[in-house]
């Protein structure tokens, strides 16, 4: 594991974007696993800037996102599909048909999960997975549990996650209680993982996740077993 500490969020974003753009330059048809939340916003901004300068080409890239709220369509401003379109996809030359986010409105959510995993497998797996980390150690929406859940599945969000994510909604009541998230197999089978976290309030969970015991009570701790993971942490 490489653990990089920087002082500012801007540096974190530039370094993460550097790593992702190197991946796309070396393998133009990369399958990128992407994340939502506040942490990757700066990284996406930087990638857009470099795309505009002609330094990075997304025309052959495929993306698979980690998760989506159950019941929100892609048109809903709080959905992760909407977030991805607004924060990255609409600003670069990616073919939207090659961008995948779990469908939180699928009638058969279990079937959607199976299809999502099969699709990732058919793509040849994820070349590089970008991750954030929740305050309780969740990755994607894999919440603390008695077991690591392997496949893409529906999850009931914990109260603390609902609270943390309510900052994107008008109020806490509007936050969906269910989400569909990639499970640990697709994440752990990514060839490379890049986890970003910013702010002193994330330091404690990073320490537990990367230097403590591997336990499903801290879902991100499983990443200690990954052979090629880079963590970038900014104090700001
Ligand atoms: C959400 C997302 C996660 C993300 C986490 C942390 O719960 N499902 O993928 O890592 O938030 O978000 P932030 O980066 O805003 O702290």
């Amino acid at each position: 594991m490489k653990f990089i500490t920087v002082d500012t969020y801007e540096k974190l974003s530039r370094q993460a974007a550097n790593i992702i753009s190197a991946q796309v330059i070396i393998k133009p048809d990369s399958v990128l696993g992407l994340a939502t939340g506040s942490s990757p916003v700066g990284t996406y901004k930087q990638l857009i800037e470099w795309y505009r300068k002609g330094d990075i080409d997304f025309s052959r890239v495929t993306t698979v996102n980690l998760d989506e709220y159950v019941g929100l369509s892609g048109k809903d401003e709080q959905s992760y599909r909407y977030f991805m379109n607004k924060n990255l996809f609409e600003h670069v030359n990616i073919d939207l048909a090659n961008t995948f986010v779990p469908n939180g409105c699928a009638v058969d959510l279990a079937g959607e999960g199976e299809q999502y995993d099969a699709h990732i497998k058919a793509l040849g797996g994820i070349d590089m997975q970008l991750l954030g980390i929740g305050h309780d150690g969740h990755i994607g929406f894999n919440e603390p549990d008695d077991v690591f859940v392997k496949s893409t599945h529906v999850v009931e969000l914990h109260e603390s996650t609902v609270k943390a994510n309510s900052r994107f909604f008008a109020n806490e009541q509007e936050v969906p209680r269910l989400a569909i998230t990639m499970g640990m197999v697709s994440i752990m089978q990514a060839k490379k993982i890049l986890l970003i976290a910013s702010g002193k309030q994330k330091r404690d969970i990073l320490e537990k996740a990367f230097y403590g015991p591997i336990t499903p009570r801290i879902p991100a701790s499983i990443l200690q077993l990954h052979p090629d993971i880079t963590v970038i942490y900014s104090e700001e």
Side-chain angles (χ1 to χ4, degrees):
M1 176 181 58
K2 291 164 220 99
F3 200 106
I4 302 168
T5 302
V6 294
D7 49 357
T8 67
Y9 177 70
E10 205 215 321
K11 276 187 203 158
L12 171 145
S13 302
R14 288 173 71 88
Q15 295 214 7
N18 258 310
I19 292 169
I20 295 168
S21 57
Q23 170 67 37
V24 174
I25 289 166
I26 291 165
K27 187 170 186 274
D29 61 346
S30 285
V31 177
L32 299 179
L34 297 180
T36 52
S38 322
S39 308
V41 171
T43 305
Y44 295 151
K45 271 202 181 114
Q46 185 61 76
L47 287 172
I48 293 165
E49 198 184 315
W50 287 337
Y51 161 72
R52 289 191 177 134
K53 287 184 174 157
D55 290 345
I56 176 167
D57 173 16
F58 289 90
S59 62
R60 293 171 60 202
V61 167
T62 298
T63 65
V64 285
N65 260 78
L66 283 165
D67 47 11
E68 180 60 282
Y69 288 112
V70 166
L72 298 193
S73 88
K75 291 198 174 68
D76 195 305
E77 291 185 16
Q78 316 300 344
S79 74
Y80 284 168
R81 158 56 75 182
Y82 189 91
F83 173 100
M84 288 311 302
N85 287 351
K86 291 291 158 200
N87 285 285
L88 182 65
F89 300 152
E90 284 176 7
H91 308 283
V92 298
N93 65 337
I94 197 160
D95 182 349
L96 268 190
N98 294 333
T99 67
F100 299 91
V101 180
N103 178 7
C105 287
V107 181
D108 173 14
L109 286 164
E112 169 67 14
E114 278 168 32
Q115 272 177 37
Y116 205 69
D117 288 333
H119 183 65
I120 293 171
K121 210 170 169 189
L123 289 168
I126 296 165
D127 289 303
M128 179 173 281
Q129 176 67 55
L130 177 65
L131 293 174
I133 184 169
H135 292 280
D136 58 1
H138 72 247
I139 47 175
F141 268 134
N142 289 277
E143 293 278 35
D145 199 343
D146 294 334
V147 291
F148 289 113
V149 184
K150 290 186 273 190
S151 50
T152 298
H153 60 285
V154 173
V155 61
E156 198 171 325
L157 300 182
H158 289 190
E159 214 37 55
S160 63
T161 301
V162 169
K163 260 200 179 67
N165 289 1
S166 65
R167 67 192 194 277
F168 298 112
F169 291 79
N171 57 59
E172 217 176 294
Q173 276 60 52
E174 283 190 19
V175 185
R177 271 26 189 192
L178 295 179
I180 177 165
T181 181
M182 212 187 265
M184 292 307 189
V185 168
S186 293
I187 295 174
M188 286 298 284
Q189 286 182 350
K191 293 176 190 81
K192 290 177 195 294
I193 292 183
L194 173 59
L195 185 142
I196 55 177
S198 66
K200 292 210 168 68
Q201 73 285 359
K202 289 270 172 87
R203 188 190 268 165
D204 188 44
I205 192 64
L206 283 178
E207 235 169 72
K208 288 191 178 126
F210 290 101
Y211 300 100
I214 296 168
T215 159
R217 289 276 138 218
I218 301 176
S221 64
I222 199 173
L223 299 172
Q224 291 182 44
L225 299 175
H226 195 278
D228 191 345
I229 172 158
T230 303
V231 178
I232 310 179
Y233 165 65
S234 78
E235 281 154 355
E236 181 189 65

